[in-house]
Amino acid sequence: RAQTTDRAGAPAEAIGLYREALSLYRGPYMADLEAPWAAITRLRLDSAARTAMTRLGALELARGEPERALHWASEAQKASEIDERAGRLFMDALLATGDRAGAAAAGTRLAAALRSAGLEPEPATARLFEEYGIAC
């Protein structure tokens, strides 16, 4: 419902729905079970949760609430340190609080995590790294 409401152009209402949905999230689905069907479901649900976290954070940032955006970006990064949407949101939110050095440090951590995973940054992430002078 949150995504549908958001896409329909009602971001203020979507914020409440995203919060409601995320209040139900308790972490990775059946984390102790290694069955293939559980792993696939876990990936799908974790991705949906991170997407909701980053979208909620983006809406909060657009509303002028960078501290709330930082919270949601941080939660998404806890779930996956290589989630570039969350990393970019975290950097943008830090910048919105006036912490340019913190944003650069966060970008450096994201670049290191991507390198460690053998991943190239997405174009939007690469542009942000370039803006901050971060080597990737």
Side-chain angles (χ1 to χ4, degrees):
R1 285 183 36 223
Q3 287 178 335
T4 301
T5 301
D6 194 3
R7 288 184 191 126
E13 185 180 342
I15 287 173
L17 293 170
Y18 280 121
R19 285 181 185 158
E20 183 181 336
L22 289 168
S23 74
L24 302 173
Y25 182 67
R26 301 285 181 252
Y29 175 76
M30 301 185 95
D32 297 334
L33 186 61
E34 293 301 321
W37 64 266
I40 291 168
T41 301
R42 184 171 34 252
L43 284 171
R44 182 178 57 79
L45 294 174
D46 287 349
S47 177
R50 285 193 325 274
T51 296
M53 289 173 194
T54 55
R55 181 59 183 151
L56 176 54
L59 291 171
E60 294 283 18
L61 185 59
R63 216 166 74 145
E65 298 288 349
E67 292 81 10
R68 288 183 182 171
L70 282 169
H71 167 76
W72 290 113
S74 177
E75 289 298 308
Q77 286 181 311
K78 285 179 196 174
S80 174
E81 68 178 1
I82 58 172
D83 186 319
E84 293 183 56
R85 292 171 300 171
R88 291 190 305 265
L89 174 62
F90 194 77
M91 292 173 70
D92 288 342
L94 283 169
L95 188 58
T97 67
D99 189 356
R100 185 166 173 81
T108 300
R109 285 190 303 277
L110 177 58
L114 291 171
R115 272 194 307 276
S116 178
L119 298 172
E120 290 293 321
E122 296 171 358
T125 306
R127 283 190 299 275
L128 198 54
F129 287 170
E130 187 175 311
E131 179 182 325
Y132 281 91
I134 297 168
C136 190

